[in-house]
């Protein structure tokens, strides 16, 4: 495509630079004049390359301090999403939740770079909505009913995508299972000029680098290293941080959010990731 063509990008939300945003960034660099539609945007939370695009958030963005609790709004997001795009030559969505529901103009391709079909509705409902206490059963029934409706919506809106692209063969299989569609596989971009091996000797510690979300199950890494007496360095932040700290023993260190330079340094020196 010519750099001057009308490109509309769609991303679930912009609240931090995590894996999805690292995939969005090259597209914003390629098409700096593109429009970027999203549910939520916390100004300054993503790279300058992304911030320079014409970002348009949804009505959810008007809620006070919504970036602190937006994950609790997951069941409502499908009813807010469904952007109707006009004046575009191509629509590219980057989706792990609702971005793929964007509707492109008739005859205009919609390419979805899919990180996964929405986890909380298909594969990881228990991780997001655990059954707890006496009211857990009633809550679970209500969640099951709502998730069933969301799965119907998710499957139906998959028809708005003309081309699915998956980040891995595993996600390609999920797309086939959930939507009955095939997908090309293009692995996520890596800055191989920056993330390069060095001649530094490996040291006797393991490293975790990630947003600390419960479904990623880093409690297993913490527990394994604690039982084996191995040193573990955890780089990242998120809603699961306090629970991991409470679980960890003296051989585990939590560094919180760190710069790319610090992450690269630990990857070069760690025994294993």
């Amino acid at each position: 495509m010519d750099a001057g063509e009308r490109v509309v990008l769609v991303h679930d939300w912009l609240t931090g630079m995590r894996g999805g945003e690292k995939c969005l960034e090259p597209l914003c660099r390629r098409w700096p004049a593109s429009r970027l539609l999203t549910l939520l945007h916390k100004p300054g939370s993503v790279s300058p390359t992304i911030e320079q695009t014409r970002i348009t958030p949804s009505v959810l963005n008007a809620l006070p301090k919504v970036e602190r609790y937006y994950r609790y709004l997951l069941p409502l997001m499908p009813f807010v999403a469904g952007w109707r795009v006009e004046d575009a030559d191509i629509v590219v969505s980057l989706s792990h939740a609702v971005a793929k529901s964007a509707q492109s103009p008739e005859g205009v391709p919609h390419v979805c770079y899919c990180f996964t079909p929405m986890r909380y509705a298909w594969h990881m409902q228990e991780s997001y909505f655990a059954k707890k206490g006496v009211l857990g059963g009633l809550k679970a029934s209500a969640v099951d009913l709502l998730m069933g409706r969301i799965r119907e919506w998710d499957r139906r809106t998959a028809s708005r995508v003309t081309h699915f692209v998956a980040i891995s063969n595993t996600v390609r299989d999920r797309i086939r299972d959930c939507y009955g569609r095939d997908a090309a596989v293009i692995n996520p971009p890596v800055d191989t000029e920056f993330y390069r091996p060095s001649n530094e000797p490996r040291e006797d510690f393991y490293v975790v680098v990630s947003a600390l979300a419960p479904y990623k199950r880093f409690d297993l890494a913490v527990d394994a290293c604690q039982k084996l007496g191995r040193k573990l360095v955890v780089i990242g932040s998120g809603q699961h941080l306090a629970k991991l700290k409470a679980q960890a023993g003296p051989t585990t260190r939590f560094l919180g959010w760190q710069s790319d330079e610090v992450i690269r340094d630990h990857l070069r020196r760690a025994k294993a990731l």
Side-chain angles (χ1 to χ4, degrees):
M1 284 189 65
D2 187 274
E5 293 196 72
R6 300 170 300 171
V7 177
V8 174
L9 305 175
V10 189
H11 197 73
D12 290 311
W13 48 75
L14 301 170
T15 58
M17 282 299 294
R18 294 178 284 270
E21 290 71 39
K22 292 291 182 70
C23 295
L24 172 65
E25 191 173 39
L27 300 182
C28 295
R29 187 179 302 117
R30 175 67 176 81
W31 295 297
S34 62
R35 285 185 290 152
L36 175 52
L37 308 179
T38 187
L39 287 175
L40 305 167
H41 174 220
K42 180 182 178 183
S45 65
V46 291
S47 71
T49 300
I50 298 175
E51 295 280 357
Q52 75 178 355
T53 60
R54 293 178 289 157
I55 300 174
T56 303
S58 75
V59 294
L60 286 180
N61 210 59
L63 296 174
K65 300 187 184 302
V66 67
E67 68 275 5
R68 297 182 179 180
Y69 55 84
Y70 67 92
R71 293 185 185 278
Y72 294 102
L73 304 178
L74 285 173
L76 301 178
M77 289 179 181
F79 306 103
V80 177
W83 299 269
R84 292 183 179 272
V85 178
E86 299 178 355
D87 300 323
D89 297 309
I90 187 171
V91 174
V92 181
S93 62
L94 297 94
S95 184
H96 73 280
V98 297
K100 67 124 182 68
S101 68
Q103 301 180 64
S104 62
E106 186 175 355
V108 171
H110 173 183
V111 179
C112 175
Y113 191 46
C114 185
F115 305 127
T116 184
M118 54 174 67
R119 300 180 187 90
Y120 65 92
W122 291 99
H123 302 99
M124 296 184 177
Q125 182 175 324
E126 286 295 324
S127 297
Y128 282 84
F129 306 102
K131 301 176 183 178
K132 296 179 180 179
V134 177
L135 297 178
L138 293 175
K139 178 182 175 182
S141 297
V143 167
D144 287 343
L145 180 62
L146 178 60
M147 290 301 107
R149 295 284 299 275
I150 289 176
R151 283 191 292 272
E152 291 176 8
W153 172 89
D154 193 38
R155 189 181 295 110
R156 185 173 67 252
T157 56
S159 64
R160 300 174 184 174
V161 175
T162 56
H163 302 81
F164 272 106
V165 180
I167 63 170
S168 66
N169 286 318
T170 297
V171 172
R172 180 186 183 185
D173 292 342
R174 291 178 186 172
I175 291 170
R176 186 183 294 114
D177 292 343
C178 297
Y179 305 144
R181 299 280 299 277
D182 197 10
V185 176
I186 300 178
N187 300 128
V190 176
D191 186 351
T192 54
E193 289 301 312
F194 181 82
Y195 289 104
R196 301 176 69 179
S198 72
N199 294 322
E200 296 178 67
R202 294 288 177 173
E203 299 178 20
D204 189 22
F205 72 90
Y206 300 88
V207 64
V208 160
V209 182
S210 178
L212 301 178
Y215 75 86
K216 293 179 180 287
R217 297 306 310 272
F218 287 121
D219 56 308
L220 297 178
V222 171
D223 186 51
C225 287
Q226 180 176 323
K227 289 181 177 178
L228 296 172
R230 304 295 178 86
K231 296 178 182 178
L232 176 67
V233 174
V234 180
I235 299 177
S237 60
Q239 72 265 39
H240 206 43
L241 178 58
K243 186 174 181 180
L244 289 176
K245 282 186 173 181
Q247 173 189 344
T251 60
T252 299
R253 295 173 55 214
F254 293 87
L255 302 187
W257 183 92
Q258 294 292 331
S259 67
D260 290 343
E261 288 75 15
V262 172
I263 292 172
R264 179 178 62 181
D265 173 62
H266 281 78
L267 291 175
R268 284 173 168 175
R269 294 186 294 110
K271 190 173 185 177
L273 173 67

